[in-house]
Amino acid sequence: QVQLQESGPGLVKPSETLSLTCLVSGGSINNYYWSWIRQAPGKGLEWIGYIFYMGSTHYNPSLKNRITISLDTSKKQFSLKLSSLTAADTAMYYCARTIAVAGTFAFDLWGQGTLVTVSS
Amino acid sequence: SYELTQPPSVSLSPGQTASITCSGDKLGAKYACWYQQKSGQSPVLVIYQNYKRPSGIPERFSGSHSGNTATLTISGTQAMDEADYYCQAWDTSSVLFGGGTKLTVL
């Protein structure tokens, strides 16, 4: 079955740029949106943004100036870059397959998450 | 800014029916989803488009929507249902999540 696996550094320094990748295995990357979602320790979920398989993107307005999401269909993976990191960006970062239904979105498959700590 | 409000916690005994609400201005004009997140695990979609259940989700999970409130109902709650539950909706320019409800099965 389809599985998602995040990868990236567990520790990054303040002011640096975080780079994460999500590998999609066991299925196609086509015909879906693909999202990044994060969860600060002990807190709720925060949507970061999505990319459509054809390349269009949409970002959380509160993070928009710091985010880039890209897609490599040949490798069946998509990536997140988050710049100007602060301690507030410390969180579990999840990638998720995103379905568009009746003009709304739902996250029907999640990766296991990767914990990112921002600290010097 | 637009917000989705959930009760912080709900507690009940096994076999009882749990109702978790999610409220927000204009939520009546939007579709709601619900996610279950057990301790140390990734979230799982349990309801989408207000009331639809993904494949593999038990029938005891149901969703409804009235006015500006969406409700997740778990009938015959089991110990395995103990988890955090999050509602989610799309609001013009962003995906929003509720703050989460911790369901405790005593």
Side-chain angles (χ1 to χ4, degrees):
Chain A
Q1 73 268 20
V2 181
Q3 292 184 315
L4 307 180
Q5 179 66 59
E6 304 90 346
S7 61
L11 179 65
V12 287
K13 290 181 168 54
S15 80
E16 292 188 342
T17 295
L18 170 66
S19 294
L20 297 176
T21 297
C22 181
L23 177 65
V24 180
S25 61
S28 176
I29 205 165
N30 292 336
N31 301 315
Y32 288 100
Y33 295 79
W34 302 92
S35 291
W36 288 97
I37 297 159
R38 69 181 183 180
Q39 185 173 34
K43 303 296 185 182
L45 300 167
E46 180 182 30
W47 174 73
I48 298 171
Y50 69 61
I51 187 164
F52 191 41
Y53 79 101
M54 295 187 71
S56 59
T57 56
H58 193 82
Y59 301 146
N60 185 325
S62 68
L63 299 169
K64 184 177 182 179
N65 293 337
R66 300 197 289 135
I67 303 170
T68 302
I69 298 177
S70 59
L71 180 69
D72 187 333
T73 54
S74 64
K75 295 182 179 179
K76 293 177 64 177
Q77 64 186 34
F78 60 105
S79 300
L80 168 69
K81 290 189 186 299
L82 180 63
S83 63
S84 304
L85 294 172
T86 70
D89 295 310
T90 293
M92 183 73 80
Y93 284 75
Y94 297 101
C95 60
R97 189 174 70 179
T98 307
I99 55 174
V101 180
T104 188
F105 296 92
F107 309 107
D108 72 334
L109 184 66
W110 297 62
Q112 66 182 29
T114 186
L115 181 62
V116 174
T117 302
V118 180
S119 175
S120 56
Chain B
S1 62
Y2 190 76
E3 293 183 352
L4 298 177
T5 301
Q6 298 180 234
S9 62
V10 170
S11 298
L12 73 170
S13 300
Q16 290 186 314
T17 296
S19 293
I20 300 173
T21 58
C22 173
S23 61
D25 291 344
K26 298 176 286 184
L27 185 57
K30 309 178 192 303
Y31 286 110
C33 302
W34 291 92
Y35 301 87
Q36 175 194 67
Q37 186 179 32
K38 296 183 178 180
S39 180
Q41 298 184 19
S42 303
V44 173
L45 178 68
V46 294
I47 294 289
Y48 67 100
Q49 209 174 333
N50 290 341
Y51 65 91
K52 295 182 177 180
R53 258 190 332 272
S55 174
I57 300 302
E59 290 185 7
R60 65 179 182 275
F61 288 87
S62 63
S64 60
H65 203 158
S66 179
N68 288 327
T69 300
T71 301
L72 173 68
T73 300
I74 309 173
S75 303
T77 304
Q78 300 180 10
M80 69 171 66
D81 300 328
E82 186 163 285
D84 293 326
Y85 290 86
Y86 294 91
C87 63
Q88 174 249 308
W90 167 257
D91 177 51
T92 58
S93 63
S94 188
V95 170
L96 299 174
F97 288 97
T101 299
K102 184 175 185 60
L103 176 67
T104 301
V105 183
L106 301 170

